Structure formats: structure tokens, C-alpha cells
Amino acid sequence: MISMRNITKTYQNGDVETSVLRGVDLDIEKGEFVALMGPSGSGKSTMMHIMGFLDQATDGTYMFQDRDVSRLSSDELALMRRGEVGFVFQAFHLLPRLTVLENVMLPLVYLGIDLKERKERAAKALDAVGLADRVDFVPNQLSGGQKQRVAIARSLITDPAVIFADEPTGNLDSKSSEQVLGILRDLNKAGRTIVMVTHEVDAAAYASRIIRMKDGCIA
């Protein structure tokens, strides 16, 4: 599903050049649950951002489902983000004035899906994460774990090829973390491809493969 060859990422700030990724090669198969681990500054989040079309490599080749996406335009990257991938972030990124159902429906608005289908698909996604009884709540009425489950439901709504989870348990207590990771594991068992960035060994244990990064390389 994902094939990356000699991926480099360099940031330029005036005369200062900072190399974040240094010639990374990586393959991820459809249906895998992969954890990216490494210390701060190792390049794991940058790798995820490139894989998820939030950023582009400075050099190298990125094949996504046999399509070369290395040099897509900003508009083409946006289309890939909308239709091909889902995201779960540490900070949830829920809109506080929208209900749980409306938050989950939001990605479908940008795809032009009609309201009836948006509601049906959002309700189904919330049921999949055990929150069918919270559709009319707003985010400040939810626990941290429930907010992250809403975020997972939102990531599922477009039926993405891959779900990228960036430190999904970073703001959660141990019980909520187990619930969220259990949902990701169940989604993977149902055939969903999951790529998770984490610094937590207990979280990485839910993955089928752990990739460790150090100094911009796969260690």
C-alpha cells in the first residue's frame, strides 16, 4: 500500500538547513498495524505527515497504492487527504460548538454528500466506537477517551485506505488509552490499515510491527 524510497526531508531557515529525514526506505502492506517509535526529533511525525499527504518530501519516491504521489500539487494532496486517509490526533481537534454527530459528519460536507447520507454514515461510525448514545452531546460533555473515540469515528467516515494516528493516547489516562487502542486493534482486525506514531511501549504493543526511528533514519 505504501512504498517509500530514499525519502529525505530538509527544512531551510535562512542559511540554516536542518535534515529531519535522511534517505528512508519503508514499505507498509495493506491490512498492517504499524507503530512508529522513536525519541523526539527522530523524524517519526514528519514521516507520518508525508505518508498522510500533510507534507511533501524534499527528495525520494513515495508510491501510494501503486500511484507515484511524490510530486503532487497542493490541490492534489488535499484531494488525497479527503478521500484516501483518515487522521486521529493527540489533541482530538473537535469543533466545540458542534454536536458529536456533526463533528463526525464534517469530512463528508467537503465531499458534497447529502445530509441524509451524512447522518446515516456518522451514526454508523459512532456505533462502531461505542458512542451511539452520545450523538447529541457536544465535546465538553465528553471525557478525553470519548473525545478520541469521536475522532476515530470521524476518521472512518470517508472509508479511508489508511488511518494515521499521531500519539492517539497522549492525553488519556490508562483506562481510556486501552479503550482507544482496543478500537484501533479491532479496526485492524476488520481489515483496516493503521499507522500509529507513539512513544509509549504499551501502545506500540498493540501493533503487528514496530518501526523504530533515530536521527531521521529507521534504526
Side-chain angles (χ1 to χ4, degrees):
M1 177 169 283
I2 289 172
S3 181
M4 309 180 92
R5 291 292 178 271
N6 197 33
I7 293 293
T8 65
K9 182 64 180 180
T10 303
Y11 292 101
Q12 194 83 31
N13 186 6
D15 294 331
V16 179
E17 192 174 86
T18 303
S19 294
V20 181
L21 297 176
R22 308 166 187 265
V24 173
D25 294 339
L26 175 64
D27 292 318
I28 295 176
E29 301 292 337
K30 182 178 180 180
E32 277 200 281
F33 187 166
V34 173
L36 291 177
M37 296 193 75
S40 296
S42 62
K44 58 187 186 298
S45 289
T46 301
M47 276 288 291
M48 173 171 283
H49 290 166
I50 292 172
M51 283 191 280
F53 314 111
L54 292 168
D55 200 356
Q56 282 184 298
T58 304
D59 201 3
T61 302
Y62 176 18
M63 303 293 292
F64 182 85
Q65 299 195 120
D66 297 323
R67 178 185 178 186
D68 188 347
V69 296
S70 308
R71 299 292 178 263
L72 293 184
S73 68
S74 295
D75 288 345
E76 289 169 326
L77 286 173
L79 287 173
M80 294 295 288
R81 284 196 301 272
R82 283 185 204 170
E84 299 292 344
V85 298
F87 293 97
V88 180
F89 295 104
Q90 179 176 346
F92 317 131
H93 294 313
L94 302 179
L95 297 181
R97 296 187 180 182
L98 297 186
T99 66
V100 163
L101 188 71
E102 289 167 339
N103 266 286
V104 175
M105 288 195 303
L106 201 56
L108 299 182
V109 174
Y110 303 116
L111 293 176
I113 306 296
D114 68 73
L115 181 60
K116 182 175 182 292
E117 184 177 348
R118 292 203 304 265
K119 286 183 175 180
E120 290 174 352
R121 288 169 64 171
K124 183 177 179 181
L126 285 164
D127 186 52
V129 298
L131 289 176
D133 59 342
R134 296 290 191 272
V135 292
D136 294 323
F137 284 46
V138 291
N140 67 7
Q141 294 176 300
L142 304 177
S143 68
Q146 289 171 332
K147 290 176 184 176
Q148 195 61 292
R149 285 153 64 189
V150 173
I152 292 172
R154 184 183 55 195
S155 77
L156 291 170
I157 198 72
T158 59
D159 192 25
V162 188
I163 292 176
F164 293 104
D166 194 355
E167 299 283 5
T169 59
N171 286 333
L172 305 180
D173 60 36
S174 58
K175 182 178 179 181
S176 296
S177 295
E178 289 175 7
Q179 291 174 338
V180 166
L181 291 165
I183 289 170
L184 292 175
R185 179 185 57 200
D186 291 344
L187 290 170
N188 176 247
K189 285 181 178 179
R192 193 77 59 174
T193 305
I194 311 284
V195 179
M196 176 176 67
V197 164
T198 184
H199 65 277
E200 299 172 359
V201 175
D202 290 347
Y206 282 76
S208 55
R209 181 159 61 111
I210 298 173
I211 298 167
R212 298 184 187 275
M213 297 196 67
K214 183 178 181 181
D215 299 330
C217 300
I218 292 177

